[in-house]
Amino acid sequence: MDERQRARRPGGRGARVGAAVHQAVTDLISERGYGTFSVGEVAARAGVADSSIYRRWGSLETLLTDVALTRLDARSPMPDTGSLAGDLRAYAANVAREITGPDGLALLRLSVALSSNGQQGLQARDDLLAERTRQLQSMLDRARERGEHAPDAFGVLDHVLAPMYIRVLLGVGSLTPEYVDGLVDRLL
C-alpha cells in the first residue's frame, strides 16, 4: 500500500487527528469559552502541529464551524420515520439530548459566538445555518412528497430549535420530552 492509499484510509491517522482536534476545541470552549484560545493551544491540546490545523482548516473560524457542523450531523441527524410529525419529534429529541449533554452548552455558545466575530465569524455562522437549513429542508421536502403539509425550515428553527436553545443558554427550564413534543405539536 503506498502513502496516498494509506492517507485516504477511513479511520486512519487523518481521522484520529481530526477527532483529537475536534475534542480539543470542544474541551477548550467548555473550560474557557469562545475567543479565549488560539490555534496553537488547540494544537498543543490535540498533540498535533499548528501547521496541521492550518493546512486542514485554514483558520480558527473554519475549524470552529467544522466542529459545530460535525457534532450536529453526528448527534442530531435528520430522521426518516415516515411522517413529518415523527421526523420532527425524533429530530427535536436528538437536538435536546445533544444540547443538554456534556458538550452541548459549549457547542451552543460556539454557534452564538461565531456570529459576533467579525466577517469570518459571520461567514462561519452563515455556513452553519445554511447547512442546517439544507438538512431541515430535505426532511420537509420528503414530507411534502408524501402529501403532508410542512412548514418552512425557518418555522422549525423559530418554533422548535430556538426555544430549546434559549432554555439551555439561559439555564431556565428543562427540556423534558413533554416540552419538546409540545414544541413540535404547536408548530404542526
Side-chain angles (χ1 to χ4, degrees):
M1 178 183 314
D2 71 19
E3 283 302 311
R4 284 181 292 177
Q5 288 172 321
R6 191 170 308 145
R8 292 183 193 157
R9 186 180 69 225
R13 184 179 186 286
R16 287 191 304 275
V17 167
V21 169
H22 278 220
Q23 190 59 54
V25 167
T26 303
D27 291 347
L28 286 165
I29 291 169
S30 292
E31 293 167 15
R32 300 188 201 169
Y34 173 80
T36 59
F37 55 87
S38 66
V39 167
E41 290 170 297
V42 172
R45 175 78 60 109
V48 301
D50 296 19
S51 60
S52 294
I53 292 175
Y54 285 115
R55 186 172 44 255
R56 188 166 182 174
W57 288 281
S59 70
L60 184 59
E61 284 74 19
T62 303
L63 169 60
L64 296 174
T65 302
D66 185 50
V67 169
L69 278 172
T70 300
R71 294 299 285 270
L72 284 171
D73 290 344
R75 297 192 178 174
S76 301
M78 291 297 131
D80 188 358
T81 66
S83 75
L84 180 58
D87 289 352
L88 286 172
R89 281 190 181 85
Y91 172 68
N94 287 340
V95 170
R97 269 191 302 281
E98 168 64 14
I99 64 177
T100 59
D103 301 328
L105 184 58
L107 291 170
L108 276 179
R109 287 181 177 155
L110 168 59
S111 297
V112 170
L114 285 171
S115 305
S116 60
N117 191 32
Q119 192 58 38
Q120 272 191 318
L122 290 173
Q123 184 61 53
R125 184 230 29 223
D126 290 349
D127 292 347
L128 184 64
L129 183 59
E131 177 60 18
R132 205 38 149 175
T133 301
R134 185 193 63 74
Q135 292 171 343
L136 281 170
Q137 194 61 54
S138 70
M139 178 188 356
L140 299 170
D141 289 345
R142 273 195 322 264
R144 286 187 191 97
E145 288 168 8
R146 290 188 301 257
E148 296 178 84
H149 172 73
D152 65 14
F154 282 102
V156 177
L157 292 171
D158 289 342
H159 298 286
V160 177
L161 298 179
M164 290 194 298
Y165 290 173
I166 291 297
R167 278 188 174 220
V168 171
L169 283 169
L170 299 180
V172 292
S174 60
L175 300 183
T176 65
E178 297 78 21
Y179 174 76
V180 173
D181 283 349
L183 293 172
V184 172
D185 291 342
R186 285 188 291 281
L187 172 65
L188 296 177

